[in-house]
Amino acid sequence: MLRIEHDFTLPIGLLGDDGTLHRDGTMRLATAADEILPLADPRVQRNPAYLSVILLSRVVTRVGAVETVTPRTIETLFAADLAHLQGLYNRINSVDEPDTSAEGSCPNCGEEVPPGHERLGGSADIRSIG
């Protein structure tokens, strides 16, 4: 069964305006638009590291009582929490590929794949900053 949403618990937590610490949240699977549209964002074009902030603000649907997650919400996370969400994003949006015995061979039949015909696709790998 396909799980669209994944619950998480932040290691430290998002500090709310009222001093409340929000640790539990939900992240949904990313869509193609989630990975493509942020590339046109001027903040990402000026600073490619900002891509993870935009991506996470699109796929994190809730953090504690905060149900409207914006780039500013992600910016205010502690570094450990940002790294935790980046890792979760990468885990839930990856596809386990079959193991291949030889580089450049078809994972299904083992036949050599001509140069230029490698597999396309795959979601963006959100890297930690720092």
Side-chain angles (χ1 to χ4, degrees):
M1 177 100 170
L2 178 65
R3 284 184 54 201
I4 303 295
E5 292 191 331
H6 298 262
D7 295 329
F8 61 81
T9 301
L10 296 173
I12 299 172
L14 173 68
L15 191 58
D17 293 335
D18 62 355
T20 303
L21 202 56
H22 304 279
R23 294 190 62 214
D24 296 324
T26 307
M27 179 186 294
R28 67 170 173 76
L29 289 177
T31 64
D34 292 326
E35 293 193 353
I36 295 168
L37 296 177
L39 298 174
D41 189 296
R43 296 168 291 188
V44 173
Q45 291 177 352
R46 281 192 305 272
N47 180 2
Y50 202 75
L51 176 62
S52 66
V53 171
I54 300 294
L55 276 171
L56 290 172
S57 72
R58 292 176 65 96
V59 298
V60 173
T61 57
R62 178 188 63 80
V63 179
V66 179
E67 292 191 15
T68 303
V69 177
T70 65
R72 180 74 184 131
T73 308
I74 302 301
E75 289 172 352
T76 61
L77 289 171
F78 292 104
D81 292 329
L82 177 63
H84 180 78
L85 290 178
Q86 289 169 329
L88 176 62
Y89 179 94
N90 289 331
R91 278 191 308 280
I92 70 172
N93 288 292
S94 68
V95 176
D96 292 331
E97 294 293 332
D99 198 14
T100 59
S101 58
E103 184 90 1
S105 62
C106 174
N108 297 320
C109 68
E111 233 179 90
E112 190 68 26
V113 177
H117 291 86
E118 294 85 10
R119 185 183 70 81
L120 299 176
S123 65
D125 185 21
I126 297 183
R127 305 211 186 277
S128 292
I129 301 168

